[in-house]
Protein backbone atom coordinates (compact mmCIF):
# COMPACT_ATOMS: atom_id res chain seq x y z
CA UNK A 1 0.00 0.00 0.00
CA UNK A 2 1.60 3.24 -1.14
CA UNK A 3 0.41 6.47 0.43
CA UNK A 4 1.40 9.71 -1.30
CA UNK A 5 2.44 12.87 0.52
CA UNK A 6 -0.33 14.68 -1.35
CA UNK A 7 -2.93 12.29 0.12
CA UNK A 8 -1.52 12.71 3.64
CA UNK A 9 -1.52 16.51 3.38
CA UNK A 10 -5.09 16.44 2.05
CA UNK A 11 -6.22 14.24 4.97
CA UNK A 12 -4.47 16.59 7.40
CA UNK A 13 -6.16 19.65 5.87
CA UNK A 14 -9.56 17.96 6.05
CA UNK A 15 -9.00 16.99 9.70
CA UNK A 16 -7.99 20.55 10.62
CA UNK A 17 -10.99 21.96 8.71
CA UNK A 18 -13.35 19.67 10.61
CA UNK A 19 -11.72 20.61 13.90
CA UNK A 20 -12.02 24.31 13.10
CA UNK A 21 -15.81 24.01 12.81
CA UNK A 22 -16.06 22.93 16.44
CA UNK A 23 -18.11 25.24 18.68
CA UNK A 24 -15.03 25.66 20.88
CA UNK A 25 -12.80 26.65 17.96
CA UNK A 26 -13.67 30.33 18.03
CA UNK A 27 -11.87 30.90 21.34
CA UNK A 28 -9.84 27.76 22.03
CA UNK A 29 -7.18 27.04 19.40
CA UNK A 30 -3.52 26.15 20.04
CA UNK A 31 -0.61 25.70 17.65
CA UNK A 32 2.86 24.43 18.49
CA UNK A 33 5.75 22.04 17.98
CA UNK A 34 6.02 18.35 18.82
CA UNK A 35 9.05 16.06 19.07
CA UNK A 36 8.79 12.39 19.76
CA UNK A 37 9.80 8.80 19.25
CA UNK A 38 8.09 5.58 18.28
CA UNK A 39 9.01 1.99 17.73
CA UNK A 40 9.76 3.07 14.14
CA UNK A 41 12.08 6.03 14.87
CA UNK A 42 12.10 9.68 15.87
CA UNK A 43 9.81 12.42 14.53
CA UNK A 44 9.20 16.16 14.83
CA UNK A 45 6.52 18.45 13.49
CA UNK A 46 3.53 20.69 14.10
CA UNK A 47 0.70 20.13 16.55
CA UNK A 48 -2.68 21.86 16.67
CA UNK A 49 -5.46 21.57 19.25
CA UNK A 50 -9.06 22.74 19.35
CA UNK A 51 -10.88 22.72 22.71
CA UNK A 52 -9.50 22.47 26.21
CA UNK A 53 -11.69 19.95 28.06
CA UNK A 54 -12.61 17.76 25.10
CA UNK A 55 -9.85 18.26 22.56
CA UNK A 56 -9.33 17.44 18.91
CA UNK A 57 -5.60 17.25 18.24
CA UNK A 58 -3.76 16.99 14.95
CA UNK A 59 -0.07 16.27 14.44
CA UNK A 60 1.79 16.60 11.13
CA UNK A 61 5.35 15.31 11.53
CA UNK A 62 8.32 14.08 9.56
CA UNK A 63 10.74 11.26 10.36
CA UNK A 64 13.75 11.81 8.08
CA UNK A 65 11.90 11.64 4.72
CA UNK A 66 8.73 9.87 5.90
CA UNK A 67 5.55 11.81 6.76
CA UNK A 68 3.26 11.09 9.72
CA UNK A 69 -0.28 12.44 10.13
CA UNK A 70 -2.05 11.71 13.40
CA UNK A 71 -5.40 12.80 14.83
CA UNK A 72 -6.55 12.31 18.44
CA UNK A 73 -9.71 12.90 20.44
CA UNK A 74 -8.72 13.69 24.05
CA UNK A 75 -10.66 14.09 27.30
CA UNK A 76 -8.96 16.05 30.11
CA UNK A 77 -9.27 15.67 33.89
CA UNK A 78 -9.98 18.50 36.30
CA UNK A 79 -7.03 20.67 37.24
CA UNK A 80 -4.79 18.87 39.72
CA UNK A 81 -2.54 21.75 40.69
CA UNK A 82 -2.37 25.54 40.72
CA UNK A 83 0.76 27.37 41.80
CA UNK A 84 2.30 30.30 39.93
CA UNK A 85 3.69 30.17 37.27
CA UNK A 86 1.69 26.98 36.50
CA UNK A 87 -2.03 27.63 36.05
CA UNK A 88 -2.95 23.96 35.94
CA UNK A 89 -1.82 20.40 35.40
CA UNK A 90 -4.32 18.05 33.73
CA UNK A 91 -4.16 14.37 32.80
CA UNK A 92 -5.77 13.25 29.57
CA UNK A 93 -6.65 10.11 27.68
CA UNK A 94 -8.30 9.42 24.37
CA UNK A 95 -8.30 7.64 21.04
CA UNK A 96 -6.36 8.38 17.89
CA UNK A 97 -5.69 7.30 14.33
CA UNK A 98 -2.61 7.87 12.22
CA UNK A 99 -1.00 7.20 8.86
CA UNK A 100 2.66 7.15 7.73
CA UNK A 101 4.47 7.06 4.37
CA UNK A 102 7.63 5.05 5.18
CA UNK A 103 8.18 1.82 3.25
CA UNK A 104 4.79 0.89 1.84
CA UNK A 105 3.06 3.24 4.27
CA UNK A 106 0.54 2.23 6.85
CA UNK A 107 -2.26 3.02 9.27
CA UNK A 108 -2.48 2.69 13.06
CA UNK A 109 -4.82 3.24 16.02
CA UNK A 110 -3.63 4.39 19.45
CA UNK A 111 -4.67 5.33 22.99
CA UNK A 112 -2.80 8.53 23.93
CA UNK A 113 -2.29 9.10 27.69
CA UNK A 114 -0.60 12.27 28.87
CA UNK A 115 -0.23 15.34 31.04
CA UNK A 116 -0.66 19.01 30.07
CA UNK A 117 1.04 21.86 31.97
CA UNK A 118 -0.54 25.31 31.38
CA UNK A 119 1.44 28.36 32.45
CA UNK A 120 0.39 31.88 33.53
CA UNK A 121 0.96 33.00 29.92
CA UNK A 122 -1.09 31.18 27.22
CA UNK A 123 1.59 28.51 26.72
CA UNK A 124 1.15 24.80 27.37
CA UNK A 125 3.70 21.98 27.57
CA UNK A 126 2.72 18.34 27.34
CA UNK A 127 4.14 14.86 27.55
CA UNK A 128 2.38 11.69 26.37
CA UNK A 129 2.74 7.96 25.80
CA UNK A 130 0.45 6.29 23.26
CA UNK A 131 0.35 2.50 23.07
CA UNK A 132 -1.29 1.36 19.87
CA UNK A 133 -1.76 -1.14 17.09
CA UNK A 134 -0.53 -1.02 13.49
CA UNK A 135 -3.45 -2.08 11.30
CA UNK A 136 -2.01 -1.80 7.77
CA UNK A 137 0.23 -3.19 6.21
CA UNK A 138 0.36 -5.81 8.98
CA UNK A 139 -1.09 -6.03 12.48
CA UNK A 140 1.41 -5.45 15.29
CA UNK A 141 1.71 -3.54 18.55
CA UNK A 142 3.36 -0.11 18.53
CA UNK A 143 3.99 2.87 20.80
CA UNK A 144 4.59 6.61 20.45
CA UNK A 145 6.06 9.08 22.93
CA UNK A 146 6.03 12.84 22.57
CA UNK A 147 6.85 16.20 24.06
CA UNK A 148 4.99 19.25 22.85
CA UNK A 149 4.73 22.96 23.42
CA UNK A 150 1.77 25.02 22.20
CA UNK A 151 0.59 28.62 22.21
CA UNK A 152 -3.15 29.10 22.93
CA UNK A 153 -4.93 31.80 20.92
CA UNK A 154 -7.56 32.78 23.49
Amino acid sequence: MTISIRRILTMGAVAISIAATSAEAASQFALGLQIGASDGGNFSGLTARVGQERTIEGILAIDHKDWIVNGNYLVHSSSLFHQDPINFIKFYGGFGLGVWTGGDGGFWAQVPLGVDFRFAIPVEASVYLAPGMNIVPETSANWHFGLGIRYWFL
Side-chain angles (χ1 to χ4, degrees):
M1 176 177 141
T2 303
I3 299 174
S4 70
I5 292 174
R6 178 187 233 172
R7 185 176 291 170
I8 288 177
L9 294 176
T10 301
M11 288 186 296
V14 168
I16 290 171
S17 296
I18 291 169
T21 61
S22 165
E24 296 177 306
S27 64
Q28 299 182 4
F29 175 75
L31 188 62
L33 300 174
Q34 182 99 11
I35 59 171
S38 70
D39 54 348
N42 299 321
F43 60 88
S44 59
L46 299 175
T47 176
R49 282 189 174 179
V50 176
Q52 294 183 31
E53 301 304 317
R54 290 186 172 85
T55 304
I56 297 172
E57 176 183 57
I59 299 169
L60 175 62
I62 190 165
D63 172 10
H64 303 289
K65 62 181 182 195
D66 303 327
W67 288 89
I68 299 167
V69 176
N70 175 221
N72 296 313
Y73 177 74
L74 308 172
V75 178
H76 289 78
S77 71
S78 298
S79 181
L80 302 174
F81 181 82
H82 178 82
Q83 179 67 42
D84 288 334
I86 298 174
N87 274 8
F88 65 70
I89 297 175
K90 291 185 177 183
F91 290 108
Y92 65 83
F95 178 78
L97 300 171
V99 63
W100 76 90
T101 62
D104 289 335
F107 175 77
W108 82 89
Q110 66 181 9
V111 178
L113 306 168
V115 181
D116 287 338
F117 303 87
R118 178 74 64 86
F119 299 98
I121 57 176
V123 172
E124 175 181 82
S126 65
V127 59
Y128 77 91
L129 177 64
M133 179 74 62
N134 292 331
I135 299 170
V136 173
E138 61 184 46
T139 304
S140 61
N142 71 22
W143 58 270
H144 293 90
F145 168 80
L147 300 170
I149 187 159
R150 283 172 287 282
Y151 179 83
W152 282 92
F153 298 91
L154 302 173

